[in-house]
């Protein structure tokens, strides 16, 4: 049996088979067709929207790849007030969004109390939306408070599942074991959990991607965020090359075949390295897009990587542009919470 057929029916391959699939473009079109078939079996032509609110670019961490790292003195820092955040939600709700993602650097200004108050306020105003947090590594007791306040989901990419590669991408005060522990804590507390990694990050080899797949098989997350690495001018990785479109698409298809039910975003980073990147992502197995709901005046400041798209338009324009893109790719946006279909 050929590799793609085998992956499609068994949802798994041997290490050697995964590496074979990852290392050539020979299977790309069959992979794409199989991935699209599987996504349509579970989700039809539906695409879910997540309204992304980037509420702070302060960060205490110093990840070598990220433009808002603490060690970047040239980052122009901002924080959104509760009123500004709720205003984004109101705009988003009027546009049909039923999930809000609060994402930021690890900013100690936002204490657990402040985060919980934000979550509660959003849930009070819009009881039928899902609230997703993406604010990094915390104690389990903090995650428990967020859950108690009504948060439904949590995005925390594991970044890479290999120790050596993790320490190549991060300073020594950050550890893979703690990042993984956070993901298991979040699962344990009943969050819908998102993990994931960048494609083509400096030092990444195919064996690391294989380890990522193996880790995801163990974790069984509800969401998997995958996008190309893109260098940022103010980071130690400024001269590294960006992740490839082809490999990112190949991995999206492989992930869809391993995890047919998974919520898989076609990321802004993918849309940044190719004009039709997000459309291609959808056609390769992705079923989620995360348009920016942040206030336009701050969008350029949430600069994780250079050249980020969608930093100029108003939220309504973003939605219209994306609707057209989703449609042109052959899918349809649905305005519901878009929970995972296990
Ligand atoms: N502080 C939060 C949110 C991080 S930003 C956290 O720790 O989870 C969201 C994601 O952007 C990161 O998980 C990372 O995978 C991605 N990212 C950061 N820098 C990037 C870059 N230069 N290129 C592409 N993606 C990047």
């Amino acid at each position: 049996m050929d590799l793609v057929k085998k992956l499609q029916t068994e949802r798994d391959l041997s290490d050697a088979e995964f590496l074979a699939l990852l290392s050539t473009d020979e299977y790309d079109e069959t992979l794409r067709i199989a991935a699209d078939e599987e996504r349509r079996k579970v989700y039809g032509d539906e695409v879910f929207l997540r309204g992304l609110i980037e509420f702070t670019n302060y960060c205490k961490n110093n990840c070598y790849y990220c433009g808002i790292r603490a060690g970047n003195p040239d980052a122009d820092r901002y924080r959104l007030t509760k009123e500004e955040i709720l205003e984004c939600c109101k705009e988003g709700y009027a546009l049909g969004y039923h999930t809000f993602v609060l994402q930021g650097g690890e900013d100690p200004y936002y204490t657990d109390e402040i985060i919980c108050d934000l979550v509660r306020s959003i849930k009070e105003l819009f009881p039928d939306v899902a609230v997703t947090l993406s604010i990094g590594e915390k104690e389990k007791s903090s995650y428990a408070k967020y859950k108690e306040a009504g948060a439904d989901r949590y995005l925390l990419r594991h970044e890479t599942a290999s120790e050596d590669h993790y320490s190549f991408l991060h300073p020594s005060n950050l550890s893979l074991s703690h990042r993984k522990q956070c993901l298991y804590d979040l699962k344990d507390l009943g969050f819908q959990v998102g993990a994931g990694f960048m494609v083509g990050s400096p030092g990444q080899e195919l064996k690391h991607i294989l380890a990522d797949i193996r880790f995801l098989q163990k974790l069984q997350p509800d969401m998997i965020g995958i996008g190309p690495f893109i260098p940022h001018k103010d980071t130690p990785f400024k001269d590294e090359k960006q992740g490839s479109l082809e490999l990112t698409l190949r991995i999206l298809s492989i992930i869809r075949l391993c995890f047919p039910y998974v919520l898989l975003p076609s990321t802004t980073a993918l849309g940044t390295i190719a004009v039709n990147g997000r459309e291609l992502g959808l056609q390769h197995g992705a079923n989620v897009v995360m348009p920016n709901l942040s206030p336009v005046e701050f969008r350029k400041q949430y600069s994780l990587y250079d050249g980020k798209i969608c930093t100029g338009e108003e939220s309504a324009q973003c939605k219209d542009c994306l609707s057209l893109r989703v449609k042109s790719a052959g899918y349809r946006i649905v305005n519901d919470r878009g929970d995972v279909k296990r």
Side-chain angles (χ1 to χ4, degrees):
M1 196 170 19
D2 81 78
L3 285 180
V4 175
K5 212 55 264 131
K6 183 169 176 193
L7 181 58
Q8 189 172 7
T9 48
E10 297 179 12
R11 313 268 169 241
D12 199 8
L13 293 174
S14 71
D15 287 0
E17 288 169 331
F18 268 126
L19 290 170
L21 210 51
L22 285 166
S23 63
T24 169
D25 61 9
E26 182 182 332
Y27 305 99
D28 285 355
E29 187 56 12
T30 27
L31 261 178
R32 189 192 72 71
I33 292 166
D36 189 54
E37 213 172 280
E38 293 308 307
R39 77 91 80 198
R40 284 178 192 272
K41 276 187 205 159
V42 186
Y43 291 101
D45 60 354
E46 296 182 349
V47 171
F48 302 125
L49 293 181
R50 315 300 191 205
L52 184 62
I53 304 169
E54 301 155 334
F55 69 99
T56 173
N57 71 349
Y58 282 84
C59 191
K60 66 182 168 68
N61 291 332
N62 228 344
C63 308
Y64 301 144
Y65 45 85
C66 184
I68 64 167
R69 58 204 299 273
N72 177 9
D74 294 328
D76 187 8
R77 308 282 173 176
Y78 74 95
R79 293 186 172 110
L80 299 190
T81 63
K82 178 178 175 182
E83 290 64 40
E84 286 169 326
I85 294 171
L86 293 179
E87 194 45 48
C88 294
C89 295
K90 281 181 201 154
E91 252 180 58
Y93 196 79
L95 291 168
Y97 292 91
H98 284 75
T99 295
F100 299 121
V101 182
L102 297 185
Q103 188 179 82
E106 287 195 22
D107 181 358
Y109 171 88
Y110 296 89
T111 58
D112 289 348
E113 285 61 43
I114 297 181
I115 296 292
C116 289
D117 176 57
L118 279 170
V119 173
R120 264 188 236 104
S121 305
I122 297 173
K123 284 286 195 167
E124 257 163 46
L125 282 170
F126 314 105
D128 57 337
V129 306
V131 173
T132 305
L133 294 175
S134 180
I135 54 176
E137 298 176 36
K138 307 277 178 182
E139 295 299 320
K140 189 173 184 183
S141 55
S142 298
Y143 290 148
K145 289 183 204 163
Y146 308 157
K147 189 83 191 38
E148 172 72 27
D152 304 276
R153 306 178 184 146
Y154 204 101
L155 304 180
L156 185 77
R157 290 187 177 176
H158 64 282
E159 311 297 359
T160 175
S162 308
E163 293 283 357
D164 58 333
H165 190 219
Y166 199 90
S167 52
F168 188 76
L169 298 178
H170 301 94
S172 59
N173 66 319
L174 296 176
S175 74
L176 176 59
S177 60
H178 189 255
R179 193 114 183 139
K180 284 184 175 172
Q181 188 55 51
C182 288
L183 285 163
Y184 287 115
D185 288 346
L186 288 161
K187 271 214 108 171
D188 192 48
L189 290 165
F191 281 95
Q192 291 178 37
V193 170
F197 58 94
M198 292 175 284
V199 174
S201 57
Q204 186 185 57
E205 297 172 33
L206 295 185
K207 67 173 186 195
H208 298 127
I209 297 169
L210 172 63
D212 291 323
I213 296 173
R214 294 295 179 219
F215 171 67
L216 293 168
Q217 288 176 324
K218 219 172 116 199
L219 179 69
Q220 290 289 317
D222 303 285
M223 302 160 280
I224 300 178
I226 289 174
F229 161 76
I230 304 172
H232 185 288
K233 62 180 180 10
D234 303 326
T235 65
F237 291 151
K238 63 178 190 304
D239 297 324
E240 300 288 334
K241 68 175 200 310
Q242 68 181 29
S244 99
L245 175 68
E246 290 68 29
L247 185 57
T248 305
L249 296 174
R250 189 178 306 152
I251 293 171
L252 285 175
S253 296
I254 291 175
I255 293 290
R256 172 60 65 203
L257 292 175
C258 295
F259 310 96
Y261 57 83
V262 87
L263 294 163
L264 191 62
S266 193
T267 59
T268 305
L270 190 56
T272 297
I273 65 164
V275 277
N276 60 340
R278 284 171 301 173
E279 290 88 322
L280 288 169
L282 293 172
Q283 291 167 335
H284 284 76
N287 65 333
V288 170
V289 280
M290 301 176 66
N292 203 323
L293 277 182
S294 313
V296 177
E297 63 264 42
F298 297 111
R299 285 195 193 172
K300 285 202 173 26
Q301 285 160 259
Y302 197 79
S303 167
L304 309 180
Y305 48 81
D306 292 335
K308 189 169 165 222
I309 53 166
C310 309
T311 56
E313 295 99 316
E314 300 290 337
S315 299
Q317 291 170 289
C318 261
K319 166 96 199 254
D320 289 346
C321 161
L322 262 174
S323 301
L324 287 172
R325 287 174 184 274
V326 168
K327 209 169 155 195
S328 78
Y331 305 92
R332 176 174 60 96
I333 286 180
V334 289
N335 287 337
D336 69 33
R337 282 171 45 120
D339 285 301
V340 71
K341 294 183 185 165
R342 288 254 193 194

